Amino acid sequence: MTITVQCPKCRAKLRGPESMAGKSVRCAGCREKFRVPVDTATPIPKSPFDAAKVFVPKPIPPAGTADDPLPLDDLQLEEVSPSGAALDAAALLVEEPVATPFAFDEPPPVVTKKKRRDDDEADRPRKRRKGADAEENRPVKRGSQKKKTGPPWGVIIGVGVLLLALGGGVAAVLLSGGKKDEEAKATTDPLLGESQPKGEPEGGGPGPDDGNPTVPVPVPPEPPPKIDPPPPPPAATTLPPPPTGKIAVVGKVKRTATLDVPADKVRDVRVAGESLVVAFNTQLGFQGVGAKDTLRQYSLATGVKGRELEIDSSGLTWPRAFAVGNAGGLVAVEAGGPGKMTVFDLDTNTVVLDQEDAFAGIANRVGPIAALAVGANRKLFVVDQAGAVDVWDLGSRKRAVTGTPPKRPPTATGKPAAKACAINGGAEVAVALDGKVWAVNASGATVGQSATLPDPTAVPLAIGTGAGPDRAAVAYRLPGGTFGVAAVRPVAGQVEFHTPLPAGAVSPVAVGWPADTLLTVSTGDAGFIVDTEARAVTAYLKAVSGTAPVYPTGGEVWWLLADAKAPAKAVLRSVEMPFDGYFALAKAVRAGGVPVFLIPRPDGLAK
């Protein structure tokens, strides 16, 4: 059985075998070492709501908020030895006694309290002040120097008698006044820039035992990391021919979901957390009226069907605005007609918004809905065709923010629609339109700088959440009917990577970023794997016969095949990215310069 935990440092989602429960592991992303809680290995029990076709999936430990954890990288756990080194896959895991479930292997470092400057001054011998005291303590030169003589003793005795006659109080005032005059001589503290009495500890206050901390020196903020612009993309390649001869599996199936739906009825697929949400057609309708689709939830842990909702799809086609968030708990879809939206809470089996008019009461909005994105704290980003972003609060079921204005004139009809996806853990949404990608937060304000796509005339066709914060993958159309894909940072205003798709590729419909250096693109019945380090397309996914729709979602690559034993059913399968044989495959591609043809099969990806 596979267990899922979260890195306590970088908050990445990590997976490994059940045997790692209670063992010391290392995050494959940030290299942080921690101990896997024992209760992680507890299997998800079969849902008590099977009879009602409902279930509550096993929750993922939240990373962002209690209601909406961050979408995180899907990394593998690495076992570590008592010395902290990673163990070989065949080696036995060595359990180490620790005080707490997440205690590190190494003992905590010993923190030595740094001495304050006034402590140093107390220990350091004081320098004597120049003046009368220095003259008195200066060693007497022998030889040619004449011996000094003091004042007559008779004069001293006479002065003493006079002082006694005038009163001891007057004498005390005179003596104390002289001492204060000497202490009034000050030096300037180089850190505080204030005048400090000489002889007192630095800081102008009591000594080192007074309990007051030393005033800290302000540390200037670190400059933002500089990212070099990506080099020009390589020349476009051609599509590889189908394989001939013996077929070998290079990527084994990681997860499988059996659907009680014929394959030709499935319209779209989304994965969030441990929930799989499938949209499929249940009624065709006539002349655009009466069409109905169903949204159904499946548990990836148990395979049990969950809750479902039938929606009105009259006048609408796929693909269309469709988003799943909150670890699979919330589904948002355009339904009930162009410009209307329905939001369904799968956790509570509640319709939050029912065919709500997304742009009612707002001027200068270009419908229908271009994109929906479920954000953090039960916020819903609604994007119109011209790139305007409004924010709805699903708690109050009302529009909370009438956001940024359109990025093009509202009368510019017929132009390509904006595309959007949630980034930065749902705190913001990345919007792609007319060769640019920018970020908008839940207050409706533009964040940072917009990123310009490699070709300013590029038309964004799809956008997907990237691996890590402030990242998004964008598939676009180039002049001349060719296509490309780029990795962008909309807040920083940078393009990390871009490359054209092979000549002969058809229009992309979806894009994902399942691993730090891998992008995935779907063209419907086919797909591509793009390596950002090799700066090239490494694989072309397509069935040799029939269809195998590709869905880049949830940090994996999924494909759909009909069930050979039951034609009325379909099966969704996925591979982890990168899969087992990916690096050997990528090495061969770099040497030959041609993508590898991969066949999606029931047992995995084969070449």
Side-chain angles (χ1 to χ4, degrees), residues 176-336:
S176 63
K179 182 177 180 181
K180 288 183 179 179
D181 289 340
E182 292 180 358
E183 291 179 350
K185 297 178 182 180
T187 58
T188 301
D189 186 89
L191 293 178
L192 304 179
E194 299 176 354
S195 179
Q196 302 293 335
K198 197 166 188 179
E200 288 188 3
E202 294 187 25
D209 296 330
D210 63 356
N212 294 327
T214 305
V215 179
V217 179
V219 179
E222 296 183 0
K226 182 180 179 181
I227 299 180
D228 296 330
T237 59
T238 58
L239 292 175
T244 58
K246 186 177 180 180
I247 304 298
V249 174
V250 294
K252 295 181 180 180
V253 169
K254 177 185 177 183
R255 297 199 282 192
T256 301
T258 302
L259 313 179
D260 296 328
V261 180
D264 61 348
K265 297 290 186 181
V266 176
R267 298 292 182 258
D268 210 339
V269 174
R270 293 287 189 276
V271 172
E274 291 298 311
S275 288
L276 172 74
V277 181
V278 181
F280 59 93
N281 179 252
T282 49
Q283 184 172 309
L284 291 174
F286 179 72
Q287 294 182 346
V289 179
K292 292 185 181 297
D293 293 323
T294 295
L295 306 177
R296 179 180 292 168
Q297 181 189 38
Y298 289 85
S299 169
L300 292 176
T302 64
V304 177
K305 287 191 296 185
R307 296 182 171 119
E308 61 181 49
L309 176 71
E310 190 174 63
I311 57 175
D312 182 4
S313 294
S314 299
L316 299 170
T317 59
W318 293 91
R320 66 177 188 259
F322 178 38
V324 177
N326 196 32
L330 289 171
V331 180
V333 63
E334 188 176 26

Side-chain angles (χ1 to χ4, degrees), residues 92-116:
L92 295 176
L93 183 66
V94 178
E95 183 175 5
E96 302 171 12
V98 290
T100 62
F102 287 97
F104 294 113
D105 296 331
E106 300 85 21
V110 178
V111 180
T112 303
K113 184 178 178 181
K114 188 176 179 181
K115 231 178 194 182
R116 298 195 321 183

Side-chain angles (χ1 to χ4, degrees), residues 230-496:
T237 59
T238 58
L239 292 175
T244 58
K246 186 177 180 180
I247 304 298
V249 174
V250 294
K252 295 181 180 180
V253 169
K254 177 185 177 183
R255 297 199 282 192
T256 301
T258 302
L259 313 179
D260 296 328
V261 180
D264 61 348
K265 297 290 186 181
V266 176
R267 298 292 182 258
D268 210 339
V269 174
R270 293 287 189 276
V271 172
E274 291 298 311
S275 288
L276 172 74
V277 181
V278 181
F280 59 93
N281 179 252
T282 49
Q283 184 172 309
L284 291 174
F286 179 72
Q287 294 182 346
V289 179
K292 292 185 181 297
D293 293 323
T294 295
L295 306 177
R296 179 180 292 168
Q297 181 189 38
Y298 289 85
S299 169
L300 292 176
T302 64
V304 177
K305 287 191 296 185
R307 296 182 171 119
E308 61 181 49
L309 176 71
E310 190 174 63
I311 57 175
D312 182 4
S313 294
S314 299
L316 299 170
T317 59
W318 293 91
R320 66 177 188 259
F322 178 38
V324 177
N326 196 32
L330 289 171
V331 180
V333 63
E334 188 176 26
K340 295 183 179 181
M341 58 186 180
T342 293
V343 178
F344 183 44
D345 191 329
L346 293 165
D347 292 337
T348 61
N349 199 25
T350 304
V351 177
V352 181
L353 298 177
D354 187 11
Q355 301 183 31
E356 188 81 27
D357 189 339
F359 308 125
I362 307 179
N364 299 328
R365 290 293 184 268
V366 181
I369 300 171
L372 295 170
V374 179
N377 301 319
R378 298 181 70 85
K379 294 294 190 297
L380 178 69
F381 295 92
V382 183
V383 185
D384 81 338
Q385 299 280 312
V389 180
D390 301 316
V391 184
W392 287 66
D393 185 349
L394 298 180
S396 62
R397 307 187 181 192
K398 295 180 180 179
R399 184 189 299 111
V401 177
T402 300
T404 57
K407 295 298 179 180
R408 67 156 77 111
T411 57
T413 58
K415 290 208 170 189
K419 305 297 178 182
C421 69
I423 60 172
N424 284 334
E428 295 151 7
V429 64
V431 182
L433 179 70
D434 293 344
K436 287 187 176 294
V437 185
W438 67 94
V440 177
N441 63 19
S443 299
T446 302
V447 181
Q449 311 174 46
S450 62
T452 301
L453 294 178
D455 190 322
T457 61
V459 177
L461 302 174
I463 186 170
T465 301
D470 186 25
R471 280 178 167 178
V474 184
Y476 46 84
R477 183 175 66 246
L478 295 167
T482 59
F483 305 97
V485 62
V488 303
R489 299 182 66 186
V491 176
Q494 295 163 332
V495 176
E496 292 186 349

Side-chain angles (χ1 to χ4, degrees), residues 69-84:
L70 299 173
L72 301 170
D73 302 343
D74 190 5
L75 304 174
Q76 288 185 337
L77 294 174
E78 294 180 8
E79 306 172 12
V80 296
S81 68
S83 63

Side-chain angles (χ1 to χ4, degrees), residues 15 20 24-28 31 76-80 86-87:
R15 287 191 175 91
M20 286 188 181
S24 179
V25 298
R26 188 193 300 274
C27 174
R31 314 307 296 169
Q76 288 185 337
L77 294 174
E78 294 180 8
E79 306 172 12
V80 296
L87 290 175

